[in-house]
């Protein structure tokens, strides 16, 4: 790779790695796996960088590569047996009222639990549409599917999340935590 291309890749990786890590976490729910996914994505992106840099859309290429890496990871047999039931790590908010901070933490946990409960393809669509703020067309391009598929997967994913959300809220209210 030429020096100029190498420098452009390094700058791209520096400026977009944190956003990719956040997206990867929203997809997989594990910071360590998210870092692995970003590293795998950057390795694949580096190999293809001379072709990618020639386009005007390296961010979309990286997003699509990240999604494919995550979906590939989901297909691995040893991942099916593993269950992650940890807490969502959040930084401390020193200026906020502790009661409000706890309430926000509880809501984030419930939201993440609902997001984690839906199938991978639906979760990818929800993350792209609502956390990455992509349009239906952009999400369809990133996933390599039709806009109709994005719309139906979004509707199904939101319905599944709502069902899980209601179940979590009901369990919390019965146990006296809400």
């Amino acid at each position: 790779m030429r020096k100029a291309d190498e420098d452009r890749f390094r700058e791209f990786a520096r400026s977009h790695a944190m956003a990719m890590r956040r997206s990867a976490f929203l997809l997989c729910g594990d910071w360590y796996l998210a870092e692995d996914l970003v590293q795998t994505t950057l390795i694949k992106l580096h190999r293809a960088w001379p072709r990618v840099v020639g386009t005007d859309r390296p961010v979309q290429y990286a997003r699509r590569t990240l999604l494919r890496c995550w979906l590939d990871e989901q297909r691995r047999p040893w991942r099916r047996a593993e269950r992650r039931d940890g807490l969502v790590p959040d930084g401390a908010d020193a200026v906020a009222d502790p009661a409000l901070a706890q309430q926000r933490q509880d809501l984030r946990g419930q939201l993440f639990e609902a997001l984690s409960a839906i199938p991978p393809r639906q979760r990818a669509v929800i993350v792209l549409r609502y956390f990455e703020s992509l349009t239906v067309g952009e999400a369809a391009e990133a996933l390599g599917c039709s806009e109709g598929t994005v719309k139906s997967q979004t509707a199904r994913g939101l319905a599944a999340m709502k069902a899980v959300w209601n179940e979590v809220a009901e369990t919390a209210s019965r146990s006296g935590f809400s």
Side-chain angles (χ1 to χ4, degrees):
M1 187 182 307
R2 296 185 335 228
K3 174 82 169 119
D5 285 342
E6 185 73 33
D7 291 341
R8 274 191 261 171
F9 174 77
R10 288 178 190 270
E11 182 56 36
F12 178 85
R14 249 186 241 110
S15 61
H16 292 89
M18 292 307 290
M20 289 188 334
R21 183 174 177 251
R22 185 192 74 233
S23 295
F25 174 77
L26 289 171
L27 290 168
C28 70
D30 179 1
W31 285 113
Y32 299 110
L33 180 57
E35 289 173 1
D36 290 344
L37 290 171
V38 170
Q39 287 300 316
T40 303
T41 300
L42 290 174
I43 289 168
K44 290 182 179 191
L45 193 62
H46 185 268
R47 289 180 191 149
W49 189 251
R51 291 188 318 271
V52 174
V53 78
T55 69
D56 59 340
R57 306 167 92 178
V59 174
Q60 287 86 345
Y61 187 92
R63 183 180 295 123
R64 189 175 203 169
T65 304
L66 177 66
L67 282 168
R68 288 184 175 168
C69 288
W70 175 66
L71 288 170
D72 288 346
E73 188 70 23
Q74 291 297 301
R75 292 182 189 112
R76 298 208 169 126
W78 60 85
R79 290 283 179 211
R80 288 187 213 128
E82 188 174 339
R83 227 177 125 80
R84 294 189 171 96
D85 292 331
L87 296 174
V88 178
D90 277 334
D93 190 3
V95 285
D97 176 24
L100 291 175
Q102 182 60 44
Q103 186 179 19
R104 277 196 309 271
Q105 179 68 26
D106 292 344
L107 288 174
R108 282 186 188 131
Q110 289 175 353
L111 176 63
F112 188 73
E113 189 173 336
L115 184 63
S116 297
I118 63 176
R121 193 85 168 158
Q122 291 173 6
R123 189 180 331 168
V125 170
I126 298 293
V127 168
L128 289 175
R129 292 280 291 126
Y130 298 106
F131 292 95
E132 294 284 330
S133 301
L134 296 184
T135 64
V136 172
E138 291 169 338
E141 184 181 328
L143 290 167
C145 63
S146 70
E147 291 185 13
T149 301
V150 170
K151 291 176 185 178
S152 67
Q153 291 293 309
T154 300
R156 289 180 187 142
L158 290 174
M161 281 183 67
K162 182 179 180 183
V164 172
W165 180 277
N166 290 337
E167 184 180 309
V168 168
E170 184 180 317
T171 302
S173 67
R174 277 188 293 186
S175 61
F177 288 117
S178 56

